[in-house]
Amino acid sequence: MMNRLTFIRKISILGSPLLREWRLVESRRVAVKPEYKVGDSKPLYVPPRRPEFPDYKYGESKIFKQSNKGLYGGQFIQFGNNVSESKKKVRRRWLPNIIKKGLWSETLNKIIRIKLTTKVYRTITKEGGIDNYLTKDKSARIKELGPAGWKLRYRILTKKEQLSNSPHKDLPVVEKADGSKSKIYYNFSIDGKTYQITVGKRKLLYYLFPLEILEHKADGESLSYKKFISLYQERSTEQILQALSKYGFDLNTISV
Amino acid sequence: MSYSHLSNTGSRFTKEISKQLLPRYHKYLLKSVPDFLRPRLPLATKENQYKNERDWVFMPGDRVVVTDGDCRGNVCVVVRHNKDTNSYILNENGPTIEAAVPKELWVDGQKSHVVNFPKAVLKSSLKLLADIEDDKTGKTKTVAIQNVVFRGSYFDKNYNKIMPIRCVSGQEDLIIPWPKPEEHEDGPLATSQSICREQTFWVESIVKAPIPKAALPSIRNEKSKYARKNEKLSTADIKRLVAPKMPLTDTKMHFIAERKELEETVYKKRVLTEEAKEKIGEKVFEHLSKEML
């Protein structure tokens, strides 16, 4: 007679993603940063540059360092034994299935080349792109992002913020002769002619700098970029355009 | 040419030569120093140099006997210590070397280029001599001591410091006194010991600092790069210390807006207005007046 238990279907709740353990992520000890206020005594060390990214709540992995550089989805190295027929045990390790991929980021408008596990790759596919994967708000997602994912998330969210709050987002768009579209930043008129300028202030300064250098050279002076910027920092776009036309720059190349 | 009498620059380097540089240093030392001044023994590293009387065992003024070399058996007196090579310079009875000295360095009365220089001797080739009384004859005799041990310590007036007690190994009741050091006469600018030892400052308060604040710059280097400045945090510092914040996602922003809207409408805490209070009062009064009747 067959054992009755063999007919009972085993229900595993351990495989359920809801009960996934984050022991190796949550148990990491991260130093609590003090709240700094102006006028407090200065700490022993102040970094020379501002930090580029926000602090990741769960810190870095100390036991599987390569996971800090990729999207490993909270998977870590595991250790165990190979057991032969003679029961001899030989130590071995199990790594997650790691692949290198270039994933297109819609927001950043470029390919992100990164190491990731196939499990994460599958999730990214399901989410509909790396941007969606990185910007999800669930706490489990934040835990599985790791330091590298957190940094990418910051890049994407800041870019999104930038795009939505861009000062030039409502500028009129015109079609050029070759069919390409471009924004019109300024309308500039000189000597009875009006130009629709298609480049921003920064680009205008970029064109002006070599001309300004030549001008200084003629007077026997040198001009550094720093000095040049300090000269033109306060000037309006109109003044920059006037300077460009004064030095003989062809405004037709930057206008419609 | 050495400028050590003018400046300390580079003195640390010459004092603390690393192990890696030591052979090269030796090579150039031997090249640059005249033959008669060259150390014949290997230089001791800073860690291995003798530091105290326990290390030296024989002090200047001690009588010793040479146990090997050409002068084996000679009784000599230790003249001085050679700290660089952990060795002893003995008097004229000790080993010497002949070296040629250039005429510029001749001393008064010198007649030959060749001069005898005392040769430094290591501790291993010396034995201490001591005078002990013979039990049988009652006469004093000089003996060489095989080994010396140190037991306890005492304050030595001649050396003006605590010195270990030097005993004969195996017969520790035999104490060999330290030789009297050479006396130096005080210079005309010297301060006498009694004046130095006189107490001129008494602590009046442990709360109040004895040195006034204005006088502190005269005793401390205010511009020292090692001094901890009592600097305060500026906004620029805080920018470099505090990481930027993660921008909110669209969903999070929607959630916050929704929450705010709900708080303003559904979850809004209702405040009892004066009108409502009056209405309630009226109702209660109505009810009570009915009851009373």
Side-chain angles (χ1 to χ4, degrees), chain A residues 36-45 47-55 135 137 150 153-154 157-158, chain B residues 228-253:
Chain A
Y36 297 106
K37 276 178 208 158
V38 179
D40 287 354
S41 58
K42 210 172 180 178
L44 271 177
Y45 175 71
R49 261 175 240 110
R50 295 166 76 161
E52 206 178 344
F53 299 103
D55 296 324
T135 55
D137 273 323
W150 184 251
R153 183 189 166 96
Y154 180 70
L157 288 178
T158 41
Chain B
R228 278 296 310 280
K229 308 279 187 317
N230 193 19
E231 282 176 303
K232 299 282 179 232
L233 272 175
S234 65
T235 39
D237 293 327
I238 289 174
K239 274 177 188 169
R240 280 182 278 156
L241 283 164
V242 179
K245 277 196 172 169
M246 181 68 80
L248 295 173
T249 55
D250 291 342
T251 44
K252 194 83 183 171
M253 277 199 276

Side-chain angles (χ1 to χ4, degrees), chain B:
Chain B
M1 190 172 167
S2 169
Y3 294 98
S4 57
H5 62 291
L6 294 174
S7 162
N8 277 335
T9 316
S11 63
R12 188 167 56 94
F13 174 76
T14 47
K15 268 181 213 161
E16 298 170 12
I17 298 158
S18 65
K19 272 183 192 171
Q20 289 84 357
L21 287 174
L22 203 62
R24 200 186 300 176
Y25 173 72
H26 273 253
K27 190 176 144 192
Y28 285 106
L29 188 82
L30 291 176
K31 266 188 184 177
S32 58
V33 172
D35 181 62
F36 65 95
L37 286 177
R38 277 177 204 166
R40 309 283 149 164
L41 294 166
L43 291 178
T45 55
K46 206 186 173 192
E47 305 90 68
N48 296 337
Q49 272 179 9
Y50 292 165
K51 285 170 191 79
N52 49 27
E53 296 72 32
R54 284 172 187 268
D55 292 339
W56 283 109
V57 181
F58 318 123
M59 293 300 280
D62 264 329
R63 279 193 309 146
V64 288
V65 63
V66 183
T67 55
D68 55 21
D70 295 337
C71 301
R72 191 177 167 197
N74 284 13
V75 173
C76 320
V77 177
V78 176
V79 176
R80 63 171 196 272
H81 291 151
N82 192 342
K83 281 177 185 172
D84 296 336
T85 53
N86 280 348
S87 56
Y88 307 81
I89 304 293
L90 307 177
N91 66 352
E92 65 279 354
N93 286 352
T96 53
I97 45 161
E98 278 186 348
V101 177
K103 217 162 193 179
E104 300 91 66
L105 298 172
W106 280 21
V107 289
D108 288 342
Q110 190 170 333
K111 281 172 189 167
S112 167
H113 279 279
V114 183
V115 177
N116 275 335
F117 278 96
K119 198 177 167 188
V121 185
L122 288 172
K123 189 161 65 178
S124 57
S125 48
L126 295 175
K127 290 266 182 286
L128 185 65
L129 290 182
D131 291 330
I132 57 165
E133 213 172 88
D134 200 338
D135 292 338
K136 288 171 191 169
T137 57
K139 285 178 183 171
T140 53
K141 59 175 182 179
T142 306
V143 291
I145 289 146
Q146 180 71 27
N147 218 347
V148 169
V149 287
F150 297 100
R151 295 279 176 265
S153 57
Y154 73 105
F155 181 78
D156 195 309
K157 270 194 174 176
N158 295 329
Y159 287 87
N160 212 3
K161 63 175 183 179
I162 303 283
M163 297 282 280
I165 298 167
R166 191 162 59 163
C167 314
V168 176
S169 174
Q171 200 178 341
E172 287 169 19
D173 57 323
L174 264 180
I175 294 167
I176 307 148
W178 294 104
K180 209 176 175 184
E182 209 177 307
E183 273 186 20
H184 297 284
E185 266 186 34
D186 290 339
L189 294 172
T191 314
S192 76
Q193 207 176 26
S194 59
I195 293 172
C196 285
R197 289 188 164 274
E198 194 188 344
Q199 188 174 0
T200 53
F201 173 74
W202 281 266
V203 177
E204 284 168 6
S205 161
I206 55 165
V207 183
K208 206 179 152 192
I211 299 161
K213 238 182 185 180
L216 279 175
S218 65
I219 57 161
R220 281 186 201 144
N221 180 9
E222 279 208 324
K223 286 175 181 173
S224 164
K225 63 176 178 178
Y226 304 105
R228 278 296 310 280
K229 308 279 187 317
N230 193 19
E231 282 176 303
K232 299 282 179 232
L233 272 175
S234 65
T235 39
D237 293 327
I238 289 174
K239 274 177 188 169
R240 280 182 278 156
L241 283 164
V242 179
K245 277 196 172 169
M246 181 68 80
L248 295 173
T249 55
D250 291 342
T251 44
K252 194 83 183 171
M253 277 199 276
H254 279 304
F255 171 77
I256 289 166
E258 210 172 90
R259 186 94 195 167
K260 205 180 171 188
E261 207 183 298
L262 281 172
E263 267 171 13
E264 279 169 7
T265 54
V266 183
Y267 305 137
K268 200 180 178 185
K269 229 182 182 179
R270 281 190 283 179
V271 186
L272 210 60
T273 58
E274 288 298 315
E275 269 178 49
K277 275 180 193 172
E278 250 172 52
K279 261 187 181 177
I280 293 163
E282 267 173 36
K283 279 267 176 196
V284 172
F285 181 71
E286 222 172 86
H287 174 73
L288 283 174
S289 51
K290 261 186 201 171
E291 289 282 302
M292 296 289 277
L293 289 168

Side-chain angles (χ1 to χ4, degrees), chain A residues 27-248:
Chain A
S27 63
R28 289 180 205 158
R29 296 182 69 188
V30 182
V32 181
K33 284 198 174 176
E35 264 191 41
Y36 297 106
K37 276 178 208 158
V38 179
D40 287 354
S41 58
K42 210 172 180 178
L44 271 177
Y45 175 71
V46 177
R49 261 175 240 110
R50 295 166 76 161
E52 206 178 344
F53 299 103
D55 296 324
Y56 183 48
K57 191 187 165 191
Y58 301 102
E60 292 198 333
S61 172
K62 297 260 165 37
I63 56 156
F64 188 43
K65 297 228 171 177
Q66 61 168 286
S67 74
N68 294 333
K69 287 191 175 181
L71 299 171
Y72 282 60
Q75 276 181 293
F76 294 95
I77 195 170
Q78 286 177 299
F79 300 95
N81 294 320
N82 262 345
V83 186
S84 68
E85 210 177 316
S86 63
K87 305 292 178 218
K88 167 112 180 138
K89 286 177 183 136
V90 179
R91 292 301 281 175
R92 65 157 292 184
R93 61 174 191 164
W94 282 270
L95 285 175
N97 189 1
I98 301 152
I99 52 168
K100 232 182 192 177
K101 274 270 167 208
L103 299 164
W104 180 256
S105 165
E106 209 62 50
T107 319
L108 299 178
N109 200 26
K110 67 173 185 183
I111 288 171
I112 297 170
R113 276 195 66 78
I114 196 164
K115 266 163 98 177
L116 70 169
T117 60
T118 46
K119 211 169 174 178
V120 169
Y121 185 46
R122 187 163 178 258
T123 318
I124 289 170
T125 320
K126 281 184 174 184
E127 291 278 10
I130 187 153
D131 291 3
N132 293 350
Y133 173 79
L134 291 168
T135 55
K136 199 170 173 176
D137 273 323
K138 298 282 177 195
S139 66
R141 179 59 49 83
I142 305 292
K143 280 172 201 167
E144 73 169 69
L145 278 183
W150 184 251
K151 283 174 188 170
L152 283 174
R153 183 189 166 96
Y154 180 70
R155 285 256 184 269
I156 286 162
L157 288 178
T158 41
K159 186 78 187 177
K160 270 187 178 173
E161 206 178 34
Q162 219 177 25
L163 289 172
S164 63
N165 298 330
S166 167
H168 306 307
K169 67 177 174 181
D170 298 326
L171 288 178
V173 180
V174 286
E175 202 168 314
K176 280 184 183 172
D178 59 346
S180 64
K181 284 176 182 175
S182 70
K183 283 179 181 171
I184 291 171
Y185 289 84
Y186 312 103
N187 286 313
F188 175 66
S189 55
I190 191 165
D191 304 334
K193 205 183 169 190
T194 309
Y195 297 94
Q196 289 185 314
I197 307 295
T198 54
V199 293
K201 193 175 176 181
R202 202 183 318 184
K203 197 96 184 187
L204 289 176
L205 286 173
Y206 171 76
Y207 291 134
L208 183 60
F209 182 47
L211 300 173
E212 224 15 282
I213 286 177
L214 285 177
E215 204 62 25
H216 274 72
K217 216 173 197 175
D219 298 340
E221 292 168 11
S222 63
L223 180 72
S224 67
Y225 189 69
K226 202 178 170 184
K227 198 177 162 192
F228 167 72
I229 288 295
S230 67
L231 270 175
Y232 279 91
Q233 211 168 23
E234 301 298 321
R235 296 196 196 177
S236 66
T237 318
E238 185 122 0
Q239 283 170 319
I240 295 166
L241 282 162
Q242 274 168 358
L244 274 170
S245 66
K246 194 181 105 187
Y247 296 146

Side-chain angles (χ1 to χ4, degrees), chain A residues 13-20 22:
Chain A
I13 55 161
L14 289 172
S16 163
L18 285 172
L19 291 170
R20 189 161 183 189
W22 298 99

